[in-house]
Short mmCIF file of all heavy atoms in Angstrom, two decimals:
data_model
loop_
_atom_site.label_atom_id
_atom_site.label_comp_id
_atom_site.label_asym_id
_atom_site.label_seq_id
_atom_site.Cartn_x
_atom_site.Cartn_y
_atom_site.Cartn_z
N GLU A 71 182.03 146.42 91.11
CA GLU A 71 181.91 146.35 92.62
C GLU A 71 183.32 145.95 93.20
O GLU A 71 183.64 146.52 94.26
CB GLU A 71 180.90 145.24 93.02
CG GLU A 71 179.46 145.58 92.63
CD GLU A 71 179.07 145.35 91.20
OE1 GLU A 71 179.85 144.54 90.48
OE2 GLU A 71 178.10 145.82 90.72
N LEU A 131 161.97 152.00 86.76
CA LEU A 131 161.81 150.55 86.64
C LEU A 131 163.13 149.85 86.72
O LEU A 131 164.06 150.25 86.01
CB LEU A 131 161.17 150.25 85.24
CG LEU A 131 159.86 151.04 84.97
CD1 LEU A 131 159.42 150.71 83.46
CD2 LEU A 131 158.76 150.62 85.97
N GLY A 132 163.22 148.87 87.59
CA GLY A 132 164.47 148.08 87.76
C GLY A 132 165.14 148.42 89.06
O GLY A 132 164.92 149.56 89.64
N ALA A 133 165.94 147.49 89.60
CA ALA A 133 166.63 147.69 90.86
C ALA A 133 168.06 147.13 90.85
O ALA A 133 168.52 146.67 91.86
CB ALA A 133 165.78 147.10 92.00
N GLY A 134 168.68 147.13 89.69
CA GLY A 134 170.07 146.64 89.60
C GLY A 134 171.03 147.79 89.78
O GLY A 134 170.66 148.83 90.40
N GLY A 135 172.23 147.57 89.44
CA GLY A 135 173.31 148.59 89.60
C GLY A 135 173.00 149.94 88.90
O GLY A 135 173.27 150.96 89.44
N ALA A 136 172.39 149.82 87.75
CA ALA A 136 172.04 151.04 87.01
C ALA A 136 170.98 151.89 87.76
O ALA A 136 171.07 153.11 87.86
CB ALA A 136 171.60 150.78 85.59
N ALA A 137 170.03 151.11 88.31
CA ALA A 137 168.97 151.84 89.07
C ALA A 137 169.55 152.54 90.32
O ALA A 137 169.19 153.64 90.62
CB ALA A 137 167.91 150.81 89.58
N SER A 155 159.96 150.32 90.95
CA SER A 155 159.32 149.03 90.74
C SER A 155 160.32 147.97 90.09
O SER A 155 161.05 148.41 89.18
CB SER A 155 158.11 149.29 89.76
OG SER A 155 157.40 148.05 89.69
N ASN A 156 160.32 146.86 90.67
CA ASN A 156 161.19 145.82 90.08
C ASN A 156 160.53 144.48 90.24
O ASN A 156 159.75 144.16 91.06
CB ASN A 156 162.47 145.77 90.98
CG ASN A 156 163.58 144.92 90.31
OD1 ASN A 156 163.87 145.20 89.11
ND2 ASN A 156 164.20 144.02 90.96
N ARG A 157 160.85 143.62 89.17
CA ARG A 157 160.24 142.26 89.16
C ARG A 157 160.49 141.53 90.48
O ARG A 157 159.64 140.98 91.06
CB ARG A 157 160.83 141.46 88.00
CG ARG A 157 160.40 140.01 87.90
CD ARG A 157 161.14 139.31 86.77
NE ARG A 157 162.58 139.33 86.91
CZ ARG A 157 163.39 138.75 86.10
NH1 ARG A 157 162.90 138.04 85.08
NH2 ARG A 157 164.71 138.77 86.25
N THR A 158 161.74 141.58 90.95
CA THR A 158 162.03 140.97 92.19
C THR A 158 161.98 142.04 93.30
O THR A 158 162.89 142.87 93.40
CB THR A 158 163.51 140.32 92.13
OG1 THR A 158 163.59 139.63 90.92
CG2 THR A 158 163.78 139.48 93.25
N ARG A 159 160.92 142.00 94.08
CA ARG A 159 160.64 143.01 94.98
C ARG A 159 161.70 143.33 95.99
O ARG A 159 162.01 144.40 96.38
CB ARG A 159 159.26 142.75 95.64
CG ARG A 159 158.72 143.96 96.40
CD ARG A 159 157.39 143.67 97.18
NE ARG A 159 157.19 144.72 98.15
CZ ARG A 159 156.40 145.72 97.99
NH1 ARG A 159 155.69 145.85 96.85
NH2 ARG A 159 156.28 146.65 98.96
N ARG A 161 164.78 143.21 95.89
CA ARG A 161 165.89 144.09 95.41
C ARG A 161 165.51 145.58 95.51
O ARG A 161 166.29 146.40 95.87
CB ARG A 161 166.33 143.72 93.97
CG ARG A 161 166.96 142.41 93.81
CD ARG A 161 167.46 142.22 92.43
NE ARG A 161 168.80 142.79 92.19
CZ ARG A 161 169.39 142.79 91.03
NH1 ARG A 161 168.73 142.49 89.92
NH2 ARG A 161 170.60 143.37 90.91
N TRP A 178 155.55 145.33 90.65
CA TRP A 178 155.89 145.31 89.28
C TRP A 178 154.65 145.23 88.41
O TRP A 178 154.59 145.98 87.35
CB TRP A 178 156.82 144.11 89.07
CG TRP A 178 157.36 143.91 87.64
CD1 TRP A 178 157.11 142.83 86.79
CD2 TRP A 178 158.27 144.73 86.94
NE1 TRP A 178 157.80 143.00 85.66
CE2 TRP A 178 158.52 144.13 85.71
CE3 TRP A 178 158.87 145.97 87.29
CZ2 TRP A 178 159.41 144.73 84.82
CZ3 TRP A 178 159.73 146.52 86.30
CH2 TRP A 178 160.00 145.90 85.10
N THR A 194 165.44 151.34 83.76
CA THR A 194 166.84 150.94 84.08
C THR A 194 167.06 149.43 83.91
O THR A 194 168.17 148.90 84.19
CB THR A 194 167.35 151.29 85.48
OG1 THR A 194 166.78 150.44 86.41
CG2 THR A 194 166.97 152.77 85.80
N THR A 195 166.01 148.66 83.50
CA THR A 195 166.20 147.23 83.28
C THR A 195 166.85 147.04 81.93
O THR A 195 166.96 147.97 81.13
CB THR A 195 164.85 146.50 83.30
OG1 THR A 195 164.15 146.72 82.07
CG2 THR A 195 164.01 146.87 84.52
N SER A 196 167.26 145.77 81.75
CA SER A 196 167.87 145.46 80.47
C SER A 196 166.87 145.15 79.34
O SER A 196 167.20 144.75 78.25
CB SER A 196 168.88 144.35 80.61
OG SER A 196 168.33 143.35 81.43
N LEU A 197 165.58 145.14 79.78
CA LEU A 197 164.53 144.83 78.76
C LEU A 197 164.43 145.77 77.64
O LEU A 197 164.44 146.98 77.92
CB LEU A 197 163.21 144.65 79.58
CG LEU A 197 163.20 143.52 80.59
CD1 LEU A 197 161.93 143.69 81.44
CD2 LEU A 197 163.34 142.17 80.01
N LYS A 202 167.26 140.84 74.22
CA LYS A 202 166.54 140.53 75.45
C LYS A 202 165.08 140.73 75.14
O LYS A 202 164.67 141.35 74.18
CB LYS A 202 166.94 141.67 76.49
CG LYS A 202 168.33 141.60 76.87
CD LYS A 202 168.49 140.71 78.10
CE LYS A 202 170.02 140.65 78.49
NZ LYS A 202 170.28 140.44 79.88
N PRO A 203 164.23 140.18 76.04
CA PRO A 203 162.79 140.45 75.80
C PRO A 203 162.34 141.84 75.82
O PRO A 203 163.11 142.69 76.43
CB PRO A 203 162.12 139.63 76.96
CG PRO A 203 163.15 138.82 77.63
CD PRO A 203 164.48 139.46 77.26
N LEU A 205 160.30 145.14 77.03
CA LEU A 205 159.72 145.60 78.37
C LEU A 205 158.19 145.69 78.13
O LEU A 205 157.75 146.47 77.28
CB LEU A 205 160.27 146.96 78.78
CG LEU A 205 159.61 147.65 79.94
CD1 LEU A 205 159.76 146.89 81.27
CD2 LEU A 205 160.17 149.11 80.05
N ILE A 221 167.80 153.57 79.72
CA ILE A 221 169.23 153.52 79.77
C ILE A 221 169.79 152.60 78.70
O ILE A 221 170.89 152.55 78.38
CB ILE A 221 169.74 153.16 81.12
CG1 ILE A 221 169.46 151.77 81.45
CG2 ILE A 221 169.31 154.10 82.28
CD1 ILE A 221 170.41 151.12 82.39
P1 ATR B 1 172.51 146.39 85.86
O1 ATR B 1 173.64 146.48 86.86
O2 ATR B 1 172.85 146.68 84.42
O3 ATR B 1 171.32 147.28 86.35
P2 ATR B 1 171.31 143.96 86.85
O4 ATR B 1 171.92 144.17 88.20
O5 ATR B 1 171.51 142.56 86.25
O6 ATR B 1 172.07 144.89 85.77
O7 ATR B 1 169.82 144.39 86.82
C1 ATR B 1 169.04 144.09 85.73
C2 ATR B 1 167.65 144.74 85.97
O8 ATR B 1 166.81 144.30 84.83
C3 ATR B 1 166.98 144.17 87.27
O9 ATR B 1 166.13 145.21 87.74
C4 ATR B 1 166.17 143.01 86.65
O10 ATR B 1 165.12 142.59 87.51
P3 ATR B 1 165.28 141.49 88.65
O11 ATR B 1 165.98 142.18 89.79
O12 ATR B 1 163.95 141.04 88.96
O13 ATR B 1 166.16 140.43 88.04
C5 ATR B 1 165.75 143.54 85.43
N1 ATR B 1 165.34 142.50 84.48
C6 ATR B 1 166.19 141.69 83.76
N2 ATR B 1 165.47 140.77 83.04
C7 ATR B 1 164.13 140.97 83.38
C8 ATR B 1 162.93 140.38 82.96
N3 ATR B 1 162.84 139.40 82.10
N4 ATR B 1 161.73 140.91 83.54
C9 ATR B 1 161.79 141.90 84.39
N5 ATR B 1 162.89 142.50 84.80
C10 ATR B 1 164.09 142.08 84.29
#
Side-chain angles (χ1 to χ4, degrees):
E71 292 82 15
L131 305 177
S155 188
N156 193 51
R157 173 182 61 175
T158 311
R159 191 185 164 99
R161 291 187 86 189
W178 185 241
T194 76
T195 75
S196 48
L197 297 173
K202 296 267 177 152
L205 170 66
I221 68 153

